[in-house]
Amino acid sequence: MLAALLRALLIQLAAALLVFYFVAPLAQPVLWSVLQAAVALLLASLLRQRGMARWLHGVAGPLVLAALWLALPPWVYLLAFVLTYAVSRNAITERVPLYLSSRESTEALAAWLPPGARVLDLGSGDGRVVLALARLRPDIEVAGVENAMLPWLWSRCRHQLAGRPANARLYYGNFWQQDWGQYNVIHAFLSPAPMDKVWQYFLNKCHTNSWLVSNTFTINTEEPAQRLPLGGILQKELLIWRHPHGTS
């Protein structure tokens, strides 16, 4: 977490200093903030920052300028930080932005799941995958784990509105601390950053004849046993791995 924060600060500082050499911030604040944002976005891309983390670098400078121009009171900054942390804490701690699975990917997963599957959704967000799978496949049990407070609270509201389906459970907490061995299908839509660690957990914590399903993001060292193509621009396929000690 500390390394990620330092990297982000260094990108912003480097962009600010590079643009400062050519443009005086006090004389031309709008031009300076636009160029600083463009340079920060370029540096983030060169350093292979992905998803929301990269685009945040592009808006940080203009947002700071707008806040100064509006002369916002201090409590606004505190509220913005609290809300950002409550929604996207995993972008800071795990380099996992809040990605929301498409309907197509969820329906493809529901069609693929074996009968009576026990599914764990890693980082369940607003609960859409858990609730959709529970509705589409009443023969399975599906649980989701989320540690960002606001998405988890919204998922609980959706669970109530859906009539509290008995085969759907939504937990608040860290999915690394869950007992993965209770489930025979692990579903993840995270980011490239934790996927190798997810694979190691899957190997060590799950039983034979278990499956790992990832929306879009692959594992560097392992070729998936199966790919289910998706038609989305960002969500391109479901990648499926069988536990290497499972039976054929």
Side-chain angles (χ1 to χ4, degrees):
M1 174 180 176
L2 181 59
L5 288 174
L6 288 175
R7 189 182 303 111
L9 289 174
L10 287 173
I11 289 173
Q12 289 295 316
L13 180 60
L17 291 176
L18 285 171
V19 178
F20 178 80
Y21 183 80
F22 298 100
V23 180
L26 294 180
Q28 303 179 71
V30 175
L31 177 60
W32 180 87
S33 69
V34 171
L35 292 177
Q36 190 273 345
V39 173
L41 182 59
L42 175 62
L43 291 175
S45 300
L46 292 174
L47 293 173
R48 297 184 179 181
Q49 300 279 296
R50 295 176 179 269
M52 187 65 69
R54 180 176 61 186
W55 293 107
L56 284 175
H57 283 292
V59 300
L63 286 178
V64 170
L65 178 65
L68 293 174
W69 180 70
L70 292 171
L72 299 174
W75 64 265
V76 174
Y77 299 100
L78 177 60
L79 178 61
F81 172 78
V82 170
L83 290 176
T84 301
Y85 187 77
V87 172
S88 303
R89 62 174 292 183
N90 293 310
I92 301 173
T93 59
E94 300 278 358
R95 290 186 292 167
V96 177
L98 179 61
Y99 291 126
L100 300 176
S101 295
S102 66
R103 177 180 297 180
E104 181 191 15
S105 70
T106 306
E107 291 177 349
L109 177 60
W112 172 85
L113 285 171
R118 299 183 307 279
V119 184
L120 176 63
D121 185 28
L122 306 180
S124 52
D126 63 0
R128 63 178 58 194
V129 172
V130 172
L131 295 173
L133 291 179
R135 184 184 73 255
L136 294 170
R137 291 291 303 273
D139 62 302
I140 71 170
E141 295 181 6
V142 55
V145 184
E146 176 60 55
N147 69 347
M149 180 60 71
L150 287 184
W152 177 77
L153 287 174
W154 177 234
S155 73
R156 294 296 303 173
C157 291
R158 296 184 65 177
H159 186 263
Q160 291 288 331
L161 293 173
R164 295 186 296 177
N167 62 334
R169 291 170 292 164
L170 294 159
Y171 298 114
Y172 178 75
N174 189 330
F175 60 70
W176 300 118
Q177 298 174 357
Q178 302 299 310
D179 181 8
W180 292 24
Q182 297 182 39
Y183 308 92
N184 58 7
V185 177
I186 306 297
H187 173 257
F189 185 25
L190 301 173
S191 80
M195 288 308 298
D196 290 339
K197 184 177 179 180
V198 168
W199 177 250
Q200 291 303 316
Y201 261 64
F202 176 67
L203 292 180
N204 296 329
K205 304 295 184 180
C206 291
H207 299 293
T208 57
N209 299 321
S210 296
W211 299 85
L212 172 63
V213 183
S214 173
N215 186 333
T216 303
F217 302 114
T218 190
I219 296 167
N220 292 325
T221 59
E222 300 293 330
E223 184 67 21
Q226 188 177 355
R227 297 174 183 264
L228 302 180
L230 303 174
I233 298 176
L234 298 178
Q235 301 179 41
K236 298 180 178 180
E237 59 183 346
L238 293 180
L239 302 104
I240 303 170
W241 292 265
R242 185 77 176 266
H243 197 289
H245 303 299
T247 59
S248 58

